[in-house]
Amino acid sequence: DTAVSQTPKYLVTQMGNDKSIKCEQNLGHDTMYWYKQDSKKFLKIMFSYNNKELIINETVPNRFSPKSPDKAHLNLHINSLELGDSAVYFCASSQAGTSGGVYEQFFGPGTRLTVL
Amino acid sequence: AQSVTQLGSHVSVSEGALVLLRCNYSSSVPPYLFWYVQYPNQGLQLLLKYTSAATLVKGINGFEAEFKKSETSFHLTKPSAHMSDAAEYFCAVTNRKGSTLGRLYFGRGTQLTVWP
């Protein structure tokens, strides 16, 4: 009954490689997010999709490309990995409040990416 | 723009003692505020949220927080700490009521240590 799941949980790779992280939510939410948590635990939003449409695109290198095949999935593809990409990446989802109100975000367990 | 400041990156208390984690926010419009907890190697879990209803908000695991507009604060408290409360705590703000964006701005986190 996992709400927000991510695969893989750990990812170790060499510089220059291309890798993907997958995220799925079974909560029926219409909005999904990617966050990056650095070594000092600071959380920063990278992208947000609402109904498969890109809504938030922060200042992130264009080596990072999100893809949302449907409302329940948001994948993150990273090209030409660099040492500085090492971090924990969290996927989250929420349901937009169309008539007012703010709904909390539900987070996945994270993917720890280590670039060697 | 919104921002959150968490005073004290590390807080240590004895088991049974009061827990107080400080959060101050900056927002040009009425904010919506959240506290999340992150246990080691896990994702973020919502503790509680303030969305302009009661200013004293009760959450899970015995935590509560009080919204004080005059002080722009949303401090998290628990009367009696338990060993299982040891974790990283994040305060977050958003102000897009009714928006599909739901952009959260996180504080830098406070690591809570509980001594036996």
Side-chain angles (χ1 to χ4, degrees), chain B residues 10-83:
Chain B
H10 291 85
V11 170
S12 295
V13 300
S14 298
E15 192 172 22
L18 171 71
V19 175
L20 171 60
L21 305 183
R22 298 179 187 274
C23 172
N24 288 87
Y25 68 90
S26 172
S27 178
S28 56
V29 294
Y32 298 89
L33 295 152
F34 304 81
W35 274 100
Y36 282 86
V37 61
Q38 183 180 27
Y39 298 103
N41 298 314
Q42 293 188 27
L44 278 74
Q45 179 183 5
L46 182 71
L47 275 178
L48 47 81
K49 63 180 179 182
Y50 167 75
T51 56
S52 76
T55 56
L56 182 62
V57 181
K58 293 187 185 299
I60 62 171
N61 302 340
F63 284 93
E64 63 181 37
E66 186 172 8
F67 172 71
K68 291 187 176 180
K69 183 179 178 180
S70 61
E71 298 177 8
T72 61
S73 69
F74 190 56
H75 302 329
L76 181 70
T77 60
K78 183 174 179 177
S80 176
H82 192 272
M83 297 292 288

Side-chain angles (χ1 to χ4, degrees), chain A residues 37 55 58 90 97 104-105, chain B residues 36 38 49 90 98 101-103:
Chain A
Q37 186 176 46
I55 298 297
E58 288 292 281
F90 286 101
E104 63 265 30
Q105 295 181 19
Chain B
Y36 282 86
Q38 183 180 27
K49 63 180 179 182
F90 293 93
L101 298 184
R103 183 194 299 255

Side-chain angles (χ1 to χ4, degrees), chain A residues 34-80:
Chain A
W34 276 111
Y35 288 87
K36 179 180 181 179
Q37 186 176 46
D38 63 23
S39 59
K40 296 185 177 179
K41 301 279 185 79
F42 182 56
L43 277 156
K44 191 171 187 300
I45 192 166
M46 301 172 69
F47 302 103
S48 172
Y49 271 75
N50 175 258
N51 287 317
K52 302 195 301 174
E53 179 184 352
L54 182 64
I55 298 297
I56 296 174
N57 186 353
E58 288 292 281
T59 308
V60 175
N62 57 16
R63 298 181 295 103
F64 291 79
S65 52
K67 282 187 172 54
S68 182
D70 55 58
K71 285 199 309 182
H73 296 84
L74 180 61
N75 303 324
L76 183 65
H77 189 75
I78 315 170
N79 290 328
S80 304

Side-chain angles (χ1 to χ4, degrees), chain A residues 77-91:
Chain A
H77 189 75
I78 315 170
N79 290 328
S80 304
L81 278 155
E82 300 178 356
L83 293 176
D85 297 333
S86 294
V88 181
Y89 292 84
F90 286 101
C91 177

